Amino acid sequence: DVKVTQSSRYLVKRTGEKVFLECVQDMDHENMFWYRQDPGLGLRLIYFSYDVKMKEKGDIPEGYSVSREKKERFSLILESASTNQTSMYLCASRRTGGASGYTFGSGTRLTVV
Amino acid sequence: GDSVTQMEGPVTLSEEAFLTINCTYTATGYPSLFWYVQYPGEGLQLLLKATKADDKGSNKGFEATYRKETTSFHLEKGSVQVSDSAVYFCALSDLKQAGTALIFGKGTTLSVSS
């Protein structure tokens, strides 16, 4: 069964910590994405990557960075976590091609205290 | 730019009622259209899709028809169940921008009571 795996379902971190959220896909997809989901705001795109070592800013990249050293892994980094980064984080991957949808991971609920 | 507009929720229905969740889109190209479902505490799952005008996507009793003339992709189900309670997202992918991000609506929460 093909899948996107996010390393943690729940995470609690302290303000100022450096936080790594990991995402791995086994479908050989070229494209990977990080979203955050907040009540009333829907899904907001943070960063995406269309190839190894390539990255593009999404709608809300401030306070985040990403790393894609291997095709199957896309990491989201919070350089210095803040309470306003408490959210549900969703990773997705997609094959290149307009008819291809996303496959999502189960999400990581991050709480910054 | 491209956008997706969904009806605001929450939608509250009794079991076996008919469901419609409206979705309209704006796109300069020829998008593919998707419905995703998110059950409580989980990520999003693809529910159905349509890749060209007049296509009908269907899955688990849900249907949606790609209407180019009205730029719509409304989700319907003839008889909802309590287990259908979830958040539903409409999304589009522009074929001219293959490989870039899908564009999502804000989601519609459906609550079904027995």
Side-chain angles (χ1 to χ4, degrees):
Chain A
D1 193 18
V2 294
K3 60 172 65 172
V4 175
T5 303
Q6 293 183 232
S7 53
S8 305
R9 289 298 299 271
Y10 300 94
L11 215 49
V12 180
K13 296 293 182 180
R14 294 194 181 278
T15 302
E17 276 193 76
K18 190 169 186 175
V19 181
F20 293 85
L21 301 183
E22 305 288 346
C23 176
V24 176
Q25 52 99 0
D26 65 1
M27 296 165 285
D28 201 36
H29 285 171
E30 299 87 357
N31 309 285
M32 296 186 75
F33 307 83
W34 276 106
Y35 287 85
R36 62 178 284 177
Q37 182 179 18
D38 301 286
L41 298 177
L43 296 171
R44 293 183 291 169
L45 180 64
I46 305 171
Y47 267 98
F48 65 101
S49 167
Y50 55 88
D51 200 353
V52 176
K53 296 192 187 295
M54 306 304 290
K55 61 185 179 184
E56 294 282 346
K57 292 180 180 179
D59 300 318
I60 52 162
E62 297 79 18
Y64 302 94
S65 63
V66 290
S67 171
R68 191 160 182 210
E69 296 296 319
K70 294 185 178 181
K71 191 175 186 179
E72 66 270 18
R73 185 180 296 271
F74 191 37
S75 302
L76 180 69
I77 303 157
L78 286 66
E79 296 290 344
S80 177
S82 64
T83 55
N84 63 13
Q85 292 178 310
T86 292
S87 186
M88 169 70 94
Y89 289 87
L90 293 167
C91 176
S93 72
R94 178 187 187 200
R95 189 174 304 285
T96 294
S100 301
Y102 284 170
T103 300
F104 280 90
S106 297
T108 296
R109 170 118 7 231
L110 172 67
T111 302
V112 182
V113 298
Chain B
D2 295 356
S3 66
V4 174
T5 302
Q6 284 181 241
M7 62 186 288
E8 294 200 13
V11 174
T12 303
L13 295 173
S14 297
E15 207 165 23
E16 299 183 3
F18 184 86
L19 169 71
T20 300
I21 300 178
N22 290 338
C23 171
T24 57
Y25 68 89
T26 303
T28 53
Y30 301 91
S32 293
L33 301 172
F34 306 85
W35 276 102
Y36 284 84
V37 58
Q38 184 180 34
Y39 298 104
E42 298 184 12
L44 280 71
Q45 303 172 25
L46 179 65
L47 181 60
L48 53 85
K49 72 176 185 181
T51 57
K52 61 183 188 298
D54 300 324
D55 268 3
K56 179 186 281 188
S58 61
N59 186 23
K60 299 181 181 179
F62 291 89
E63 294 182 339
T65 300
Y66 187 163
R67 302 281 187 205
K68 191 166 183 288
E69 63 276 13
T70 54
T71 62
S72 65
F73 192 55
H74 304 322
L75 182 68
E76 296 182 336
K77 187 175 186 184
S79 176
V80 293
Q81 306 300 312
V82 172
S83 57
D84 294 326
S85 298
V87 182
Y88 293 82
F89 292 90
C90 186
L92 73 80
S93 165
D94 192 332
L95 290 175
K96 288 185 180 177
Q97 300 180 44
T100 57
L102 295 188
I103 296 169
F104 286 87
K106 293 205 171 194
T108 302
T109 299
L110 170 65
S111 179
V112 181
S113 57
S114 58

